[in-house]
Amino acid sequence: TMKLKNIGLEPNTHLTCTNVKKEEVVDALQTCRDAGVKNIVALRGDPPIGQEKWEATDESFKCALDLVKFIRKEHGDFFNIAVAGYPEGHPDAILPTSQTFDELSQAEQSRCRIAPDGSLHVCNDAKYAEELAYLKAKVDAGSDIIITQMFFDCSTFAAFVQAARKIGISVPIIPGIMVLQSAAGFKKMTNFCNTRVPPTLAKQVDACGDNEQQIKQLGIELGVQMGKELIAQGVEGLHFYTLNLEKSTLAIIEKLGLTAKDRRKNKKVTYDKPIMTSTTWLGLAAVAAWAYFILLRPNLRR
């Protein structure tokens, strides 16, 4: 995080509740404040490697809401706080169902996942309502912006935004786009996150086989397609999960006409400057990743 700040980029420090004690959170926030790093992404975090169930290390931080409340209590409005949103429901809430697809509600069908073994997994409507209520609690506690979990169906994102607005969530909701880099990585990540994969996309990925160039090209084409659909929906930014592999993301940005050169050339475009964000995981046993965050409206709080 400090290295990014020192070279002129605007970092977002990802702060999680995984394997951390209160004093570590205090130290991390003070370090960020002293260095002028104002952007914090507050997350519960995933279970450490080798552990299936998430457990709190410190009773003060059992969830992201606890982090948001603590940050606002200790530091007021100094930090810009982002939290996670889940268009298909939190992975822990996407569970196997004994219902058939036709027995699900229309909303449940739109976010239902077909697992590799053919079973149906879904965050049911009642649980989805609880998820949204929790998201609103995070916003009411002081979150400035929502960045979503990855998804591959833009209509699912649109439905999520509509549902969030309906219960009074008014902060910007930024879609998280996972850029395809390899078939194996794609399947591993979607299985881990319980992500719904549209049948057409699943077939396209399978057709690429182990051809790395083909899967990367598919990733670029999918990223451009999703970017266009989301911009048409009126999103206020795009958040790309690049996983330290930035070339495909930069290709997508070029094809969408969102590079700095494009903005200088076309003064009618009101896009703000791109922000490179580092996911510096505090206490999370995971590989650090890069994300590329482009604001499409210049009035977002920075």
Side-chain angles (χ1 to χ4, degrees), residues 62-122:
K62 295 180 179 179
C63 59
L65 177 58
D66 291 337
L67 277 177
V68 175
K69 288 180 177 179
F70 182 80
I71 294 169
R72 286 293 178 235
K73 178 184 176 183
E74 298 297 319
H75 294 275
D77 291 333
F78 179 82
F79 290 109
N80 305 321
I81 303 176
V83 292
Y86 300 88
E88 297 169 355
H90 190 280
D92 291 349
I94 301 174
L95 301 172
T97 177
S98 59
Q99 292 178 287
T100 66
F101 184 81
D102 291 337
E103 291 173 331
L104 300 175
S105 70
Q106 186 174 356
E108 289 170 336
Q109 289 178 356
S110 70
R111 58 179 183 267
C112 176
R113 175 176 182 263
I114 302 176
D117 63 3
S119 61
L120 300 181
H121 295 235
V122 69

Side-chain angles (χ1 to χ4, degrees), residues 4 48 75 117 138 193 207 216 220 255 265 270 277 286 299:
L4 291 175
H75 294 275
D117 63 3
K138 290 192 289 186
C193 296
K216 287 183 182 295
I220 292 171
K255 290 180 181 292
K265 186 184 298 183
T270 60
T277 65
N299 59 344

Side-chain angles (χ1 to χ4, degrees), residues 48-60:
I49 293 175
Q51 185 175 312
E52 288 189 13
K53 186 178 180 182
W54 191 89
E55 295 179 353
T57 302
D58 190 314
E59 290 299 304
S60 299

